[in-house]
Amino acid sequence: MTTTLKKETFFHPDGFPLVVTRGIFAREYGAHAHEFSELVVVTGGHGLHVTETETWPISSGDVFVITGRRTHGYTDSEGLRHVNILYDPKGLALPERDLRSLPGYTALFTLEPGWRRRHQFGSRLRLSMKELAYAENLIDAMIAELKERAPGFRLMAKALFMQMIAFLSRAYSHA
């Protein structure tokens, strides 16, 4: 049976539905699903991303989205470093109309998760080293806002997340 990761376990008790974590997998992380969406940015190493029906190699620069309750995990990891941006799109009240107007947004955040099987994971986004460095700067700023929780942190963290979405959407449309 697959473990389902719960919102209340991962999101702050104040209810703000955005969490950013950095991780390293020594070998594997078992199959699981979640009650929220996950944006994954691979920052180093390599491994295999496993779903219910497929397995794909991932490495530094890969970016992909896990939506809803899709089961996934990681195996055969060798120094796989990644960032997980866990978020509840409805809870964040993201400006869907504006997001859908971005080139690449619908493909990366809506269509690509379903395309993986058909395109053999070739539809994922792979950032260049320069693009990855920029993304990591946004990630560091989000982590700082969410850790410090200074007045206005929700606004700042959400704005940085939207900037990340816009950046990745543009990068996807140029890939």
Side-chain angles (χ1 to χ4, degrees), residues 136-151:
E136 287 201 76
N137 286 334
L138 290 173
I139 289 163
D140 289 341
M142 275 189 279
I143 289 171
E145 286 293 336
L146 292 166
K147 179 180 178 187
E148 294 168 16
R149 298 186 108 66

Side-chain angles (χ1 to χ4, degrees), residues 4-8 11 33-37 68-69 87-88:
T4 298
L5 306 179
K6 306 285 186 187
K7 290 179 186 180
E8 58 268 12
F11 295 143
H34 12 77
E35 298 179 333
F36 43 82
S37 293
R69 296 181 181 265
Y87 64 99
D88 178 1

